[in-house]
Amino acid sequence: MAKIKTTFFCQNCGAQSPKWMGRCSSCGEWNTMVEEVIQHGDGGAKSSGNFKITENKPKQLHEIAQGNEERTVTGNGELDRVLGGGLVDGSLILVGGEPGIGKSTLMLQVALQIKGRKVLYISGEESEQQIRMRAERIGYKEPDCYILTETNTQSIFQHLEILQPGLVIIDSIQTLQTNIIESTAGSISQIRETAAEMQRFAKTTGVPVFLVGHITKDGNLAGPKILEHMVDTVLQFEGDRNYGYRILRAVKNRFGSASELGIFEMRDTGLREVSNPSEILLSQRDEEVSGVAIASTIEGLRPILIETQALVSSAAYGTPQRSATGFDIRRLNMLLAVLEKRSGFRLGAKDVFLNIAGGIRVDDPAIDLAVIAAVLSSNGDIPVDSKTCFAAEVGLSGEIRPVSRIEQRIAEAEKLGYEIIVISKYNSKTSKPAGKNIKVITVGKVEEVFRLLFN
Ligand code: TYD
Ligand code: MG
């Protein structure tokens, strides 16, 4: 077997060096040199110069057999939804997230739940006993699931050869190590090479592979960013660890929509699927309180009703404090400036705190109007009617702007028993939104909203 050649490349400018350097001599960037394989032992595809004719020939589109892209349901409804309807054969799926968010729990649940496929769960992080304990906690019934604690890819492939599983889960990619490269597990070159090996395995055998990847808060560790190009699907697991709710987002998906999301709740018996998120994200309360407004938002393709909570009080110090949880603080400042400048509310000397209930993050601009309603409600200490919800964006001049898919938002609000929904008047021009049991009120300016709510 010929020797494997590696060399170091700068990730910033591409300069090459036979030795590792702390600082690239060409562009001057620090810590950018990464070891890469330039010639594999078998003198295969990567060796330059001598081209080999492979069996693959160029084909015209109509000559290519139509793949009917069969999907296997994993038995986990929320995961299937995010994947775009189930697992596609031969796909490589990266599940990323901060440590402790629940990636291993989700993967083990899939391994124990999936029907009709032999699963190999390879862990480099936990011992067999730990995995057994976790499985006991989750609960299982005679699954066709094998556990392997191994990190060396060459021996992993030997086991794969013997066991012939129908699904492989690797927890995590940062612990894998290939013999080809000498650097330690978790380094960029190891991650890239082992992921490439798993990719080849998935594509040649048609067995889907899940890779778990860590993201650290400071992003120092070789994160799964470099993997995103290599895999078919990137799922991001996120959520506030202090709350029980977890959101699984598709960041990239070659086999489905990249805006889909699944919601889970972490219980002491594992992750529970939350198929009706609105009900849990609305806090239960008996009496009406000021500073609370409900927004009809759309996350992914799903409408979700979300509670926004605001607290406005006189500033204790010279500079008023503004803080937002689950909402962009710059957007909150912008909305407060609109209220101050366009509608004359004196909020400049007030502390404003905003919170999105449930510990989730919202990017949908349709939440703006609910934020404004919650702030005004807290400012005047007048509760918003608890059967009213909102769905509109607010522009810089104080105009209430239309939002997409308004029919779906109205329908969700109606389903949950809301009696009034406030939307932009420009929405009703393009579409004729109608609900049978819900009254649709249209507004054009922030002042109209204030008059509507508190007069
Ligand atoms: P884990 O799946 O180990 O996270 P990751 O693999 O992303 O690092 O999840 C760890 C957390 O989940 C840990 O704090 C314990 C909690 N947990 C539960 O609350 N209930 C459960 O049933 C399980 C298995 C874990
Ligand atoms: Mg883990």
Side-chain angles (χ1 to χ4, degrees):
M1 194 168 121
K3 213 168 156 278
I4 297 148
K5 276 193 195 154
T6 66
T7 190
F8 292 84
F9 287 94
C10 171
Q11 297 294 290
N12 188 44
C13 68
Q16 193 179 345
S17 151
K19 277 194 309 224
W20 186 83
M21 293 184 292
R23 185 175 189 226
C24 174
S25 57
S26 167
C27 67
E29 281 292 317
W30 287 94
N31 291 330
T32 55
M33 302 304 287
V34 166
E35 185 184 25
E36 282 182 29
V37 180
I38 51 167
Q39 188 182 336
H40 279 269
D42 54 9
K46 282 201 177 176
S47 67
S48 54
N50 62 54
F51 291 103
K52 275 197 293 185
I53 300 284
T54 60
E55 291 110 60
N56 262 346
K57 279 190 310 218
K59 285 183 194 142
Q60 283 191 309
L61 278 175
H62 65 85
E63 293 174 321
I64 300 171
Q66 214 167 20
N68 45 347
E69 206 185 84
E70 242 178 67
R71 289 180 188 262
T72 313
V73 290
T74 62
N76 187 316
E78 294 295 294
L79 178 65
D80 286 337
R81 172 203 295 276
V82 179
L83 288 173
L87 271 175
V88 176
D89 278 346
S91 61
L92 191 63
I93 303 150
L94 176 68
V95 181
E98 284 173 17
I101 205 81
K103 302 179 294 296
S104 306
T105 308
L106 178 69
M107 287 297 104
L108 190 60
Q109 271 179 255
V110 170
L112 299 176
Q113 270 174 3
I114 196 165
K115 292 204 174 63
R117 276 191 190 226
K118 196 192 282 182
V119 184
L120 180 59
Y121 182 100
I122 302 165
S123 180
E125 307 215 320
E126 286 157 311
S127 69
E128 291 164 358
Q129 284 76 20
Q130 279 175 313
I131 298 169
R132 168 89 199 244
M133 266 162 57
R134 190 193 296 258
E136 300 284 348
R137 206 171 161 183
I138 297 166
Y140 59 93
K141 285 190 227 112
E142 300 156 34
D144 200 3
C145 173
Y146 293 78
I147 309 290
L148 173 69
T149 49
E150 177 62 74
T151 55
N152 182 283
T153 53
Q154 275 71 25
S155 54
I156 286 175
F157 285 122
Q158 283 173 3
H159 288 294
L160 289 174
E161 185 93 356
I162 300 164
L163 193 68
Q164 301 273 343
L167 172 65
V168 178
I169 295 170
I170 298 197
D171 188 3
S172 66
I173 184 74
Q174 272 95 355
T175 59
L176 287 190
Q177 201 159 15
T178 172
N179 291 340
I180 301 178
I181 296 179
E182 278 183 11
S183 59
T184 53
S187 62
I188 295 184
S189 41
Q190 279 290 3
I191 290 178
R192 199 170 10 193
E193 194 57 30
T194 51
E197 288 178 358
M198 293 323 298
Q199 186 189 34
R200 257 171 304 197
F201 167 78
K203 298 295 169 220
T204 49
T205 60
V207 175
V209 178
F210 276 106
L211 300 176
V212 171
H214 294 292
I215 300 170
T216 52
K217 276 223 168 86
D218 49 342
N220 247 349
L221 192 99
K225 272 276 173 236
I226 49 164
L227 291 170
E228 287 185 12
H229 305 286
M230 302 170 73
V231 301
D232 299 305
T233 304
V234 181
L235 306 182
Q236 176 111 0
F237 212 20
E238 55 189 43
D240 194 323
R241 253 187 289 173
N242 301 322
Y243 290 89
Y245 302 115
R246 301 282 184 274
I247 292 182
L248 187 68
R249 263 180 222 280
V251 180
K252 159 184 175 178
N253 195 351
R254 283 188 187 145
F255 307 113
S257 155
S259 58
E260 205 35 283
L261 101 186
I263 302 180
F264 297 90
E265 185 185 1
M266 183 61 98
R267 295 241 176 137
D268 51 4
T269 51
L271 288 159
R272 184 183 73 95
E273 296 169 37
V274 178
S275 36
N276 190 358
S278 297
E279 278 173 14
I280 55 151
L281 291 173
L282 302 174
S283 69
Q284 272 75 41
R285 64 199 131 83
D286 299 329
E287 53 192 279
E288 293 198 331
V289 287
S290 65
V292 171
I294 311 294
S296 185
T297 67
I298 292 199
E299 281 290 319
L301 298 174
R302 248 194 311 189
I304 303 179
L305 265 72
I306 287 179
E307 183 175 304
T308 59
Q309 305 164 339
L311 183 65
V312 180
S313 66
S314 326
Y317 307 103
T319 13
Q321 296 182 60
R322 267 82 210 268
S323 120
T325 314
F327 190 73
D328 187 4
I329 183 78
R330 282 168 302 181
R331 185 126 194 116
L332 173 64
N333 281 328
M334 188 281 270
L335 292 176
L336 294 177
V338 168
L339 284 180
E340 176 114 18
K341 179 99 182 162
R342 302 287 169 201
S343 324
F345 293 101
R346 306 204 144 271
L347 297 166
K350 301 263 176 100
D351 287 343
V352 179
F353 306 96
L354 186 77
N355 182 33
I356 308 295
I360 68 163
R361 245 206 106 68
V362 183
D363 295 323
D364 187 356
I367 198 170
D368 284 0
L369 191 56
V371 169
I372 282 197
V375 167
L376 292 179
S377 160
S378 178
N379 191 41
D381 202 15
I382 313 166
V384 176
D385 171 43
S386 65
K387 291 284 173 211
T388 302
C389 64
F390 303 85
E393 192 182 335
V394 176
L396 280 180
S397 61
E399 82 276 20
I400 309 294
R401 308 185 48 184
V403 287
S404 63
R405 299 210 299 249
I406 194 74
E407 296 84 358
Q408 236 181 313
R409 298 173 197 267
I410 295 173
E412 179 73 6
E414 187 176 4
K415 203 173 87 194
L416 288 166
Y418 285 87
E419 287 160 8
I420 296 171
I421 183 165
V422 185
I423 65 168
S424 162
K425 71 175 180 195
Y426 305 106
N427 253 127
S428 53
K429 267 187 194 153
T430 46
S431 58
K432 267 266 168 283
K436 275 188 226 93
N437 303 316
I438 190 165
K439 194 170 152 205
V440 179
I441 298 183
T442 58
V443 285
K445 289 244 157 238
V446 171
E447 300 91 297
E448 285 174 48
V449 183
F450 182 75
R451 258 179 274 129
L452 177 81
L453 291 177
F454 308 119
N455 278 352

